[in-house]
Amino acid sequence: MANEHRRDRISTQSPSGETDLDYDVAIVGGGPAGSAAGVFCAREGLDTVVFDRGRSSLKRCAHLENYPGFPAGIDVETLYDLFHDQLERAGCEVVPDMVDSLQRRDGAAGFAVELEECGPVTARRIVAATRYDGSYMRGLGDDDAMFETTEHDGETTESFDRGYPNHDGTTPIPDLYVASPSEESQQAIVAAGRGARVAGELITDARVDDGWWDAVAEGVDWVRREAELDEAWDDREPWVEWFDEYYGEAAPTDADTDRYERVRAARVDERLSSYIGPDEQDSRATSGQARLASHLDPDAVVAGCDRDELLDAMDDDQIAAYLHGQPQVSDGSE
């Protein structure tokens, strides 16, 4: 289910004006790096797909004990389910298929992505987020720099050079980003952070292609409390003045052009929509906890709770309905 709080999709047509691509972003790998990148890209409004059916280093872990937010650790299967549920809720398409190869499109922007089972698709930008295997990136025109040769016990092997991407995940190949394999992805939490950073760079590039300028293109995906907002900022006009003051001078066009007004409107909308009131905050908190609970073993939840506290927290009508086997439907007022 797509996230109802997802931002309006930005235009991501190629510089030549093409709009016939299947996806704005294709991410290869659905582990921590690929999932983090996918969530950020989809929440920005980019049409994003994650291909995940390869060999993940995280899936080799028996139990993850150092990922923040899980005091007693978490089993990898549940964590993966949470990753992919969040991807789909953000608006990503998750496809259980393996990418065989990437090719630049002849005479056009974007990439042709050859899949093992589903056939070819096209995407404007690619995020490589597979730790072990980068062989699908062969043929992009930079093999000598992208792969390194090593010798061990008389045998020569080739592997992806983890020092190939820049620190922000960009590469010498336009529109190709690498979140993993990298020198910095030894731990799941670091890989997730890497994926988020690479997504941030990709989003900035997509906005620039859409007419934004560098000073204003960098975004922050952050939901704030409405109470922190001074009443003077409730109206749109103060935000317009704020934009003109902070970003107008760096704009490459005059303030009265359609491009300037379009970018300003989008940036102001972004800031205004990032503040939510107490009711919406409570609603999202309830929804978030319910979504998390849906992935947990009910017996384990009950075993981990004080039964008296659990009963006290439940509504009397819910308890009665449970005892009589009648389903309860929330009216949304809680």
Side-chain angles (χ1 to χ4, degrees), residues 210-211 213 253-266:
D210 191 40
W213 49 100
T253 57
D254 295 333
D256 59 349
T257 65
D258 290 342
R259 175 188 175 189
Y260 183 93
E261 291 178 359
R262 177 173 60 86
V263 172
R264 181 174 62 187

Side-chain angles (χ1 to χ4, degrees), residues 3 53 64 69 78 83 97 102 116 140 145 161-162 180 186 212 228 234 240 267 294 319 322:
N3 183 3
R53 209 203 67 190
L64 189 61
T78 299
F83 281 168
D97 203 348
L102 301 173
E116 188 174 86
L140 289 176
D161 184 352
R162 294 178 182 172
S180 181
Q186 297 290 337
W212 297 43
E228 298 177 1
D234 285 346
V240 171
R267 191 72 166 94
S294 70
I319 296 174
Y322 174 78

Side-chain angles (χ1 to χ4, degrees), residues 96-323:
D97 203 348
M98 185 175 292
V99 173
D100 281 337
S101 65
L102 301 173
Q103 296 289 335
R104 294 306 301 258
R105 299 205 306 161
D106 292 337
F111 298 83
V113 183
E114 189 66 39
L115 301 170
E116 188 174 86
E117 296 180 0
C118 298
V121 297
T122 56
R124 178 72 175 85
R125 292 176 171 84
I126 300 291
V127 176
T130 50
R131 175 167 174 76
Y132 285 113
D133 184 17
S135 61
Y136 58 88
M137 289 183 277
R138 292 186 182 279
L140 289 176
D142 206 14
D143 284 9
D144 290 342
M146 191 180 293
F147 296 91
E148 59 181 352
T149 302
T150 57
E151 291 188 10
H152 182 70
D153 290 340
E155 293 187 4
T156 300
T157 59
E158 276 193 331
S159 59
F160 185 84
D161 184 352
R162 294 178 182 172
Y164 175 75
N166 299 318
H167 188 62
D168 58 6
T170 57
T171 71
I173 298 175
D175 303 322
L176 174 69
Y177 305 78
V178 175
S180 181
S182 71
E183 297 287 358
E184 303 153 335
S185 58
Q186 297 290 337
Q187 298 292 328
I189 186 61
V190 179
R194 172 80 173 173
R197 169 160 189 173
V198 171
E201 190 65 29
L202 185 155
I203 289 167
T204 298
D205 291 345
R207 288 180 169 188
V208 169
D209 278 356
D210 191 40
W212 297 43
W213 49 100
D214 290 342
V216 74
E218 185 175 351
V220 177
D221 189 348
W222 186 12
V223 181
R224 301 165 173 85
R225 291 180 176 87
E226 197 174 67
E228 298 177 1
L229 194 62
D230 188 278
E231 288 184 6
W233 294 88
D234 285 346
D235 296 328
R236 190 176 187 84
E237 189 57 35
W239 287 106
V240 171
E241 294 174 1
W242 159 82
F243 182 94
D244 291 341
E245 179 180 353
Y246 282 92
Y247 300 114
E249 196 170 311
T253 57
D254 295 333
D256 59 349
T257 65
D258 290 342
R259 175 188 175 189
Y260 183 93
E261 291 178 359
R262 177 173 60 86
V263 172
R264 181 174 62 187
R267 191 72 166 94
V268 170
D269 286 344
E270 178 184 62
R271 291 305 296 264
L272 285 170
S273 65
S274 68
Y275 291 92
I276 61 174
D279 290 344
E280 177 64 16
Q281 186 178 338
D282 290 344
S283 174
R284 295 193 190 190
T286 300
S287 175
Q289 291 182 24
R291 197 79 175 201
L292 175 61
S294 70
H295 289 270
L296 304 179
D297 180 359
D299 292 336
V301 173
V302 173
C305 295
D306 182 285
R307 290 177 183 266
D308 291 336
E309 291 182 359
L310 185 61
L311 290 172
D312 288 342
M314 295 178 66
D315 182 86
D316 289 343
D317 291 339
Q318 290 178 314
I319 296 174
Y322 174 78
L323 292 174

Side-chain angles (χ1 to χ4, degrees), residues 11-64:
S11 169
T12 56
Q13 67 180 22
S14 71
S16 62
E18 295 172 286
T19 57
D20 61 337
L21 295 162
D22 295 314
Y23 299 100
D24 298 324
V25 182
I27 299 173
V28 187
S35 293
V39 166
F40 274 80
C41 287
R43 282 176 56 81
E44 174 67 13
L46 295 167
D47 192 358
T48 304
V49 62
V50 175
F51 298 111
D52 184 47
R53 209 203 67 190
R55 201 161 52 108
S56 168
S57 58
L58 182 59
K59 289 183 178 178
R60 299 174 61 191
C61 178
H63 192 77
L64 189 61

